[in-house]
């Protein structure tokens, strides 16, 4: 079984995001970037499946600037076998990403695509579902457990009412949730080995995909500053405050 794992380069989750002064977007200058946390989970799951003998090859693919090679190298250090970088300096919307990934799937013929349910920069939560629609493949979204069973993949999904388990006939698409696993830290020897693993360089034009934006960002603003709390002497004072504020 071959697994394709898309990974995205985003602002590190530990970094405080700053909005540009002209409110046209987020300031990326001199900001630490790293792999999207949900994609780390998808890479970890693919590598675990490989270690269990269910998967023979893990291919990491990223769409972004030249620096996205670092993100792919991280996936290679975690255990992926090779990488593909579709180089573009433009912001690619989820539909464009899904179209590019669909072309990569046609070229690579994987048995399974595992990707994070969403990226922490745009929080769109769309790419996996769009890719499933373009390919006509079954999909298991928000996965908290994945088990390969012959030609099928059993996915336990986190839904509003609890957990739902679905059996997908391969090839299939799985999007990962936070509780699926705990991603490993790449060891120094594996980081050194990752430098020798191949990364194929591509461009959107190689696949004949139009990635022109279909959405326009009108304005980006920071959330309002949270007001300080207020201490009260007793429950009666608390109730009086809540009544005054119209909360009860």
């Amino acid at each position: 079984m071959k697994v394709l794992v898309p990974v995205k380069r985003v602002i590190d989750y530990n970094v405080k995001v700053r909005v540009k002064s002209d409110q046209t977007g987020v300031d990326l200058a001199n900001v630490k970037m790293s792999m999207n946390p949900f994609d780390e989970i998808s890479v970890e799951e693919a590598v675990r499946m490989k270690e269990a003998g269910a998967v023979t090859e893990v291919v990491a693919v990223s769409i972004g600037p030249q620096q996205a090679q670092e993100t792919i190298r991280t996936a290679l250090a975690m255990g992926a076998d090779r990488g593909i970088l579709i180089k573009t300096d433009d912001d690619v919307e989820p539909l464009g990403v899904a179209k590019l990934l669909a072309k990569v799937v046609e070229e690579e013929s994987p048995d399974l695509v595992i990707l994070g349910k969403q990226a922490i920069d745009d929080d769109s939560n769309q790419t996996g579902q769009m890719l499933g629609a373009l390919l006509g493949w079954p999909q298991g979204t928000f996965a908290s457990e994945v088990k390969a069973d012959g030609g099928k993949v059993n996915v336990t999904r986190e839904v509003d009412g609890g957990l739902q388990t679905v059996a997908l006939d391969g090839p299939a698409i799985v999007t990962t949730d936070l509780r699926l696993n705990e991603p490993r830290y790449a060891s120094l020897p594996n980081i050194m080995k990752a430098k020798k693993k191949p990364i194929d360089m591509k461009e959107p034009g190689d696949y004949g995909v139009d990635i022109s934006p279909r959405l326009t960002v009108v304005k980006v603003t920071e959330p309002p500053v949270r007001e300080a709390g207020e201490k009260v002497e007793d429950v009666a004072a608390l109730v009086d405050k809540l009544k005054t504020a119209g909360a009860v």
Side-chain angles (χ1 to χ4, degrees):
M1 179 186 289
K2 179 194 286 189
V3 178
L4 186 71
V5 186
V7 294
K8 186 176 183 181
R9 179 176 182 263
V10 299
I11 295 178
D12 190 270
Y13 69 93
N14 287 311
V15 173
K16 178 176 173 54
V17 176
R18 301 190 307 270
V19 175
K20 292 181 179 178
S21 58
D22 58 3
Q23 297 184 331
T24 58
V26 173
D27 187 4
L28 300 179
N30 301 316
V31 174
K32 181 183 177 183
M33 308 292 283
S34 61
M35 186 189 299
N36 178 48
F38 289 100
D39 296 340
E40 289 182 347
I41 293 171
S42 59
V43 173
E44 174 66 25
E45 191 64 22
V47 172
R48 289 188 185 188
M49 294 174 72
K50 180 183 174 184
E51 291 172 344
V55 170
T56 55
E57 185 180 25
V58 178
V59 182
V61 57
S62 188
I63 301 167
Q66 185 73 23
Q67 296 90 325
Q69 278 193 83
E70 301 169 7
T71 306
I72 296 178
R73 292 291 177 197
T74 301
L76 297 177
M78 291 175 67
D81 298 289
R82 58 187 176 90
I84 301 172
L85 173 61
I86 304 176
K87 185 178 177 298
T88 175
D89 293 324
D90 298 327
D91 290 331
V92 186
E93 295 171 356
L95 180 58
V97 173
K99 287 181 177 180
L100 286 171
L101 291 178
K103 292 295 184 180
V104 175
V105 167
E106 291 178 10
E107 193 175 78
E108 293 288 332
S109 300
D111 302 285
L112 185 64
V113 179
I114 306 179
L115 63 163
K117 71 171 185 177
Q118 65 195 73
I120 62 172
D121 52 0
D122 57 20
D123 274 335
S124 293
N125 192 355
Q126 297 174 341
T127 302
Q129 292 87 331
M130 288 178 171
L131 180 60
L134 290 172
L135 296 174
W137 286 11
Q139 54 184 289
T141 54
F142 319 131
S144 61
E145 185 178 5
V146 178
K147 289 184 178 180
D149 183 13
K152 291 188 176 183
V153 179
N154 295 323
V155 178
T156 300
R157 306 178 59 234
E158 295 193 1
V159 296
D160 291 341
L163 298 176
Q164 177 191 59
T165 301
V166 294
L168 310 177
D169 291 323
I173 293 170
V174 174
T175 69
T176 61
D177 215 330
L178 285 172
R179 294 173 184 82
L180 179 58
N181 60 49
E182 183 71 29
R184 71 191 65 189
Y185 289 101
S187 63
L188 182 58
N190 287 337
I191 292 174
M192 300 305 293
K193 290 177 183 177
K195 294 181 179 181
K196 298 181 180 179
K197 293 182 179 180
I199 297 180
D200 294 333
M201 305 298 291
K202 302 282 188 176
E203 293 184 359
D206 296 336
Y207 298 102
V209 174
D210 179 16
I211 59 171
S212 301
R214 289 169 168 77
L215 305 174
T216 301
V217 176
V218 177
K219 184 170 63 173
V220 177
T221 59
E222 294 187 7
V225 179
R226 186 174 180 179
E227 296 182 1
E230 184 179 348
K231 291 184 178 180
V232 294
E233 295 182 357
D234 51 33
V235 174
L238 172 62
V239 172
D240 182 62
K241 287 281 186 182
L242 292 173
K243 287 182 178 179
T244 304
V248 294

